[in-house]
Amino acid sequence: IGDAMQDEDSVTLTINAVNDAPVVTPSTTASSYTENAAPVVANDTLTLSDVDSDNITGATVKISSGLNADDVLAFTNTSNISGSYEANRGLLTLSGTATKAEYQAALRAVTYSSSSENPTATSASRTLTWQIDDGQTANHASNSATSTINITAVNDAPVVSNDSATINEAGGTNNGTVAAGASPSGSVLNDDIDPEGADLSIKTILKGSTGTG
């Protein structure tokens, strides 16, 4: 029996990393906003993560449902992150390269408000869609996650305008262009408004002045 033979070979494995998309997770607890109140923080416990990127290069927050033309998403710029809001789209865009911790703090600081006197005309809530971006070539955009803001309307008093009309005495000789005894026509409510669009009715009629002739 001959001597046992042994041989060793080496194999080199090349590992190509693939960028993993970042993840954003807003709180599922709805925020609340009351008409004419100060701005409220939209989602102060939101978290974000990225297993293979230290920095985030941008983020968006969009009112994806219930948008009112007077809604505002606001953000106070930091040294590394700036914000821009497009009212017609309800879209707040954050840009600038910063750490994950900086972007998490920035998104937690986003506020919602509305200058509308009828903010529930479109919906009694707003759905916000959140997304972040790590700036890599592939898989750079995160998931799109949503949160909710519930809106409470406050009744606004109707706004009335003074009205005037002239009626001429029946059988009078100075009737001008108004037929003798003719009553003015139309509704005194035509130029009065209610911010919420409620139907208006006349509560009190006060006697006015009368002419002589």
Side-chain angles (χ1 to χ4, degrees):
I1 299 174
D3 294 334
M5 304 296 290
Q6 184 174 346
D7 188 20
E8 294 183 0
D9 291 314
S10 62
V11 176
T12 300
L13 299 177
T14 300
I15 300 175
N16 295 317
V18 176
N19 183 58
D20 292 283
V23 177
V24 60
T25 308
S27 170
T28 57
T29 301
S31 299
S32 298
Y33 176 78
T34 300
E35 179 183 341
N36 297 324
V40 296
V41 174
N43 204 282
D44 60 0
T45 58
L46 171 148
T47 61
L48 60 84
S49 62
D50 193 325
V51 296
D52 54 8
S53 296
D54 293 328
N55 294 326
I56 301 297
T57 59
T60 57
V61 188
K62 184 176 183 179
I63 302 175
S64 51
S65 178
L67 177 65
N68 184 301
D70 297 310
D71 289 347
V72 176
L73 294 176
F75 169 74
T76 300
N77 293 345
T78 68
S79 57
N80 293 322
I81 304 172
S82 59
S84 175
Y85 182 64
E86 298 176 60
N88 62 323
R89 300 176 61 195
L91 178 65
L92 175 66
T93 301
L94 305 186
S95 57
T97 300
T99 66
K100 289 177 284 189
E102 286 178 289
Y103 260 95
Q104 179 171 282
L107 291 174
R108 287 182 175 184
V110 171
T111 61
Y112 167 85
S113 64
S114 179
S115 60
S116 174
E117 293 299 330
N118 191 14
T120 57
T122 53
S123 175
S125 65
R126 303 290 186 269
T127 299
L128 306 187
T129 298
W130 308 74
Q131 191 170 42
I132 59 176
D133 196 305
D134 66 12
Q136 301 300 312
T137 303
N139 303 324
H140 53 86
S142 75
N143 58 310
S144 294
T146 61
S147 66
T148 302
I149 299 177
N150 292 325
I151 312 296
T152 300
V154 175
N155 184 55
D156 297 286
V159 179
V160 299
S161 300
N162 292 328
D163 299 286
S164 63
T166 300
I167 183 171
N168 293 316
E169 178 184 1
T173 58
N174 187 25
N175 291 321
T177 59
V178 179
S183 298
S185 62
S187 172
V188 296
L189 296 175
N190 285 343
D191 54 358
D192 303 326
I193 61 172
D194 184 85
E196 288 83 25
D199 292 334
L200 299 176
S201 61
I202 298 173
K203 182 178 180 181
T204 304
I205 299 176
L206 301 177
K207 181 181 179 180
S209 60
T210 59
T212 59

